[in-house]
Amino acid sequence: MDHMFDAAREAQRAWARVPLWRRAEALHKAAALLKQNKDVIAECLVKEVAKPAKDSVTEVVRSADFIDYTAEEGIRILSEGKCLVPDSFPGNERNKLCLSSRIPLGVVLAIPPFNYPVNLSVSKIAPALIAGNAVVVKPPMQGSVAALHMIQCFHLAGFPKGLISAITIKVADLGDALTTHPAINCISFTGGDSGIAIAKRAGMVPLQMELGGKDACIVLDDADLDLAAANIIKGGFSFSGQRCTAVKIVLAMDTIANKLVEKVNVKVARLSVGPPEVDSDITPVVSESSADFIEGLVMDARQKGAKLWQEYRREGNLIWPILIDNVRPDMRITWEEPFGPIIPVIRIRTIEEGVQHCNSSRYGLQGCVFTNNIHRALIVSDAMETGTVQINSAPARGPDHFPFQGLRDSGIGSQGITNSIHMMTKVKSTVINLP
Ligand code: G3H
């Protein structure tokens, strides 16, 4: 591992001196190669993480677009510098000039999750590289083949040896050796609670952590219920609910809850369940332990009196989609993140009750509100303590240049292309003292 970090540091020093337009050119090349190889990489995603075939291709294309956009945004951000004169500060004369611009941090450690092994790798790699950093990637166990193919595209695009490395050893075998390595100058992590432990042990390095969510969907009594139902389905069941931005709790006002649940149930019945190769809507979740965990949440809710609108069904890691109604605060599903195809519904009497529920969660990633009254929407958005609130649409990270951040246990820092470039650079000043 030391050898890898030494090589990264050496390559980084040279890379930082490569003209910005050439760094951008190399990124565009990698993006083109990624697009050329989209089918083979998508096939890996299908096989490794059971992502539906079409969504797998979308992930690769989205990643190539991400790289292109980052190259262009990097040119804009990093070509700008500042010149300050001192005499605006009391007691100073006009006798010096302060020139500042952004410089790379050094070596960025990128730890992406299994649900977007390509896209959430690229969203760390591309901003790091355009800014003149080296990157060490720790791909997820499941998804590592897709991630390695993607990294190969960077190598084929001509990025120097040592600048982008991947380490595929099991995290359990690594202990803290990787995340606390002294050569690391920045950590960008997306995943679960293990990120909290990483953050606590990390040294004096900037952190960008995205650690999950319990995204609430508040549906008010004046909402377009067809729109809300469609978004609950899309938001809750895309990739079988294995997204940090999935709708993970519906907070529906009593007066419209029955109608909403009925509409959602009609759509749940239409979801196809099966293998990812044929683009089933619901595919097997990533591991047996994950399926067991989801099952535990469903059983707990059922035993405590929640209503399961669909019969609970599981074959191996494949779990059929379920809407769980009449959920109460004493049930685990109210607070825990299932990362699976289940959506709990809590009926609320007032808007304040919905907002208070959302703000009581340890997570604060995103949330959404459905209403036809923009003033109510803005009041709810203002009151919801989450990194982003979507009005009349399901939570989502993209478009990828939008800021993306979580409050409380959902994370540290902000993502999105511009924010990531800023985060992976530092301001450097040179002061010219005039005679
Ligand atoms: O799983 C976490 C991702 O950041 C969510 O991204 O909203 O594009 O699915 P997404």
Coordinates of all heavy atoms in Angstrom, one line a residue, residues 252-287:
A252 N -48.5 11.0 4.9 CA -49.6 11.5 4.1 C -50.7 12.0 5.0 O -51.0 11.5 6.1 CB -50.2 10.3 3.3
M253 N -51.3 13.2 4.6 CA -52.3 13.8 5.5 C -53.5 12.8 5.5 O -53.9 12.3 4.4 CB -52.6 15.2 5.0 CG -51.5 16.1 5.4 SD -51.8 17.8 5.3 CE -52.7 18.1 6.8
D254 N -54.1 12.7 6.7 CA -55.2 11.8 6.9 C -56.3 11.8 5.9 O -56.8 10.8 5.4 CB -55.8 12.2 8.3 CG -55.6 11.2 9.3 OD1 -55.2 10.1 9.0 OD2 -55.8 11.5 10.5
T255 N -56.6 13.1 5.5 CA -57.8 13.3 4.6 C -57.6 12.7 3.2 O -58.6 12.4 2.5 CB -58.1 14.8 4.5 OG1 -56.8 15.5 4.3 CG2 -58.7 15.4 5.7
I256 N -56.3 12.6 2.8 CA -56.1 12.0 1.4 C -55.4 10.7 1.4 O -55.1 10.1 0.4 CB -55.3 13.1 0.5 CG1 -54.1 13.6 1.3 CG2 -56.2 14.2 0.1 CD1 -52.9 12.8 1.2
A257 N -55.0 10.2 2.6 CA -54.2 9.0 2.7 C -54.8 7.8 2.0 O -54.1 7.1 1.3 CB -53.8 8.7 4.2
N258 N -56.1 7.6 2.3 CA -56.7 6.4 1.7 C -56.6 6.4 0.1 O -56.2 5.4 -0.5 CB -58.2 6.3 2.0 CG -58.3 5.8 3.5 OD1 -57.4 5.2 4.0 ND2 -59.5 6.0 4.1
K259 N -56.9 7.6 -0.4 CA -56.9 7.7 -1.9 C -55.5 7.5 -2.4 O -55.2 6.8 -3.4 CB -57.4 9.1 -2.3 CG -58.8 9.2 -2.8 CD -59.0 10.5 -3.5 CE -60.4 10.8 -3.6 NZ -60.7 12.2 -3.7
L260 N -54.5 8.1 -1.7 CA -53.1 8.0 -2.1 C -52.6 6.6 -2.1 O -52.1 6.0 -3.1 CB -52.2 8.9 -1.2 CG -50.7 8.8 -1.6 CD1 -50.4 9.5 -2.9 CD2 -49.9 9.5 -0.4
V261 N -52.9 5.9 -1.0 CA -52.5 4.5 -0.8 C -53.1 3.6 -1.9 O -52.4 2.8 -2.5 CB -52.9 4.0 0.6 CG1 -52.8 2.5 0.7 CG2 -52.0 4.6 1.6
E262 N -54.4 3.9 -2.2 CA -55.0 3.1 -3.3 C -54.3 3.3 -4.6 O -54.0 2.3 -5.3 CB -56.5 3.7 -3.4 CG -57.4 2.8 -4.1 CD -58.8 3.5 -4.2 OE1 -59.3 3.9 -3.2 OE2 -59.3 3.6 -5.3
K263 N -54.0 4.5 -4.9 CA -53.3 4.8 -6.2 C -51.9 4.2 -6.2 O -51.4 3.6 -7.3 CB -53.1 6.3 -6.4 CG -54.4 7.0 -6.8 CD -54.3 8.5 -7.0 CE -55.6 9.2 -7.2 NZ -56.2 9.0 -8.5
V264 N -51.2 4.2 -5.1 CA -49.8 3.6 -5.1 C -50.0 2.1 -5.2 O -49.2 1.5 -6.0 CB -49.1 4.0 -3.7 CG1 -47.8 3.3 -3.6 CG2 -48.9 5.5 -3.7
N265 N -51.0 1.5 -4.6 CA -51.1 0.1 -4.6 C -51.4 -0.4 -6.1 O -50.9 -1.5 -6.5 CB -52.2 -0.4 -3.7 CG -51.7 -0.6 -2.3 OD1 -50.6 -0.9 -2.1 ND2 -52.6 -0.4 -1.3
V266 N -52.2 0.4 -6.8 CA -52.4 0.0 -8.2 C -51.1 -0.1 -9.0 O -50.9 -1.0 -9.7 CB -53.4 1.0 -8.9 CG1 -53.5 0.8 -10.4 CG2 -54.8 1.0 -8.2
K267 N -50.2 0.8 -8.7 CA -48.9 0.9 -9.4 C -48.0 -0.2 -8.9 O -47.2 -0.8 -9.6 CB -48.3 2.3 -9.3 CG -49.1 3.3 -10.0 CD -48.4 4.7 -9.8 CE -49.3 5.8 -10.3 NZ -49.5 5.8 -11.7
V268 N -48.0 -0.5 -7.6 CA -47.2 -1.6 -7.0 C -47.5 -2.9 -7.8 O -46.6 -3.7 -8.1 CB -47.4 -1.7 -5.5 CG1 -46.6 -3.0 -5.0 CG2 -46.9 -0.5 -4.8
A269 N -48.8 -3.1 -8.0 CA -49.2 -4.4 -8.6 C -48.6 -4.5 -10.0 O -48.5 -5.6 -10.5 CB -50.7 -4.4 -8.7
R270 N -48.3 -3.4 -10.6 CA -47.8 -3.4 -12.0 C -46.3 -3.6 -12.1 O -45.8 -3.7 -13.2 CB -48.2 -2.1 -12.7 CG -49.7 -2.0 -13.0 CD -49.9 -0.8 -14.0 NE -51.3 -0.4 -14.0 CZ -51.6 0.9 -13.8 NH1 -50.7 1.8 -13.6 NH2 -52.9 1.2 -13.7
L271 N -45.6 -3.5 -11.0 CA -44.2 -3.6 -11.0 C -43.8 -5.0 -11.3 O -44.3 -6.0 -10.8 CB -43.6 -3.2 -9.6 CG -43.7 -1.8 -9.2 CD1 -43.2 -1.6 -7.8 CD2 -42.9 -0.8 -10.1
S272 N -42.8 -5.2 -12.2 CA -42.3 -6.5 -12.6 C -41.2 -6.9 -11.6 O -40.4 -6.1 -11.2 CB -41.8 -6.6 -14.0 OG -40.8 -5.7 -14.2
V273 N -41.2 -8.2 -11.2 CA -40.2 -8.6 -10.2 C -39.4 -9.8 -10.9 O -40.0 -10.7 -11.4 CB -40.9 -9.2 -9.0 CG1 -39.9 -9.6 -7.9 CG2 -41.8 -8.1 -8.4
G274 N -38.1 -9.7 -10.9 CA -37.3 -10.8 -11.5 C -35.9 -10.4 -11.8 O -35.3 -9.5 -11.1
P275 N -35.2 -11.0 -12.8 CA -33.8 -10.8 -13.0 C -33.5 -9.4 -13.7 O -34.4 -8.9 -14.4 CB -33.4 -11.9 -13.9 CG -34.7 -12.4 -14.6 CD -35.8 -12.0 -13.7
P276 N -32.3 -8.9 -13.4 CA -32.0 -7.5 -14.0 C -31.8 -7.6 -15.5 O -32.0 -6.6 -16.2 CB -30.7 -7.2 -13.3 CG -30.1 -8.5 -12.9 CD -31.2 -9.4 -12.6
E277 N -31.5 -8.7 -16.1 CA -31.2 -8.8 -17.5 C -32.4 -8.4 -18.4 O -32.2 -7.9 -19.5 CB -30.7 -10.3 -17.9 CG -29.3 -10.7 -17.4 CD -29.3 -11.1 -16.0 OE1 -30.3 -11.1 -15.3 OE2 -28.2 -11.5 -15.5
V278 N -33.6 -8.7 -17.8 CA -34.8 -8.4 -18.6 C -35.4 -7.1 -18.2 O -36.6 -6.9 -18.4 CB -35.8 -9.6 -18.6 CG1 -35.2 -10.8 -19.3 CG2 -36.2 -9.9 -17.2
D279 N -34.7 -6.3 -17.5 CA -35.1 -5.0 -17.0 C -36.3 -5.1 -16.0 O -37.2 -4.2 -16.1 CB -35.5 -4.1 -18.2 CG -34.3 -3.4 -18.7 OD1 -33.5 -2.9 -17.9 OD2 -34.2 -3.2 -19.9
S280 N -36.3 -6.1 -15.2 CA -37.4 -6.1 -14.2 C -37.3 -4.9 -13.3 O -36.2 -4.3 -13.1 CB -37.2 -7.3 -13.3 OG -37.1 -8.5 -14.0
D281 N -38.5 -4.4 -12.8 CA -38.5 -3.2 -12.0 C -37.8 -3.5 -10.6 O -37.1 -2.7 -10.1 CB -39.9 -2.7 -11.7 CG -40.6 -2.3 -13.0 OD1 -40.0 -1.5 -13.7 OD2 -41.7 -2.8 -13.3
I282 N -38.1 -4.7 -10.1 CA -37.6 -5.1 -8.8 C -36.7 -6.3 -9.0 O -37.1 -7.3 -9.6 CB -38.7 -5.5 -7.8 CG1 -39.7 -4.3 -7.7 CG2 -38.1 -5.9 -6.5 CD1 -39.2 -3.1 -7.0
T283 N -35.4 -6.2 -8.6 CA -34.4 -7.2 -8.8 C -33.9 -7.6 -7.4 O -34.2 -7.0 -6.4 CB -33.3 -6.7 -9.7 OG1 -32.7 -5.5 -9.0 CG2 -33.8 -6.3 -11.1
P284 N -33.1 -8.7 -7.4 CA -32.6 -9.1 -6.0 C -31.7 -8.0 -5.4 O -31.0 -7.3 -6.1 CB -31.7 -10.3 -6.4 CG -32.2 -10.8 -7.7 CD -32.7 -9.6 -8.4
V285 N -31.9 -7.9 -4.1 CA -31.1 -6.9 -3.3 C -29.6 -7.5 -3.2 O -29.4 -8.7 -3.5 CB -31.6 -6.5 -2.0 CG1 -33.0 -5.8 -2.1 CG2 -31.7 -7.8 -1.0
V286 N -28.7 -6.6 -2.8 CA -27.3 -6.9 -3.1 C -26.7 -8.1 -2.3 O -25.8 -8.8 -2.8 CB -26.5 -5.6 -2.8 CG1 -26.4 -5.3 -1.3 CG2 -25.1 -5.7 -3.4
S287 N -27.3 -8.5 -1.2 CA -26.7 -9.6 -0.5 C -27.8 -10.3 0.4 O -28.8 -9.7 0.7 CB -25.6 -9.1 0.5 OG -26.1 -8.2 1.4

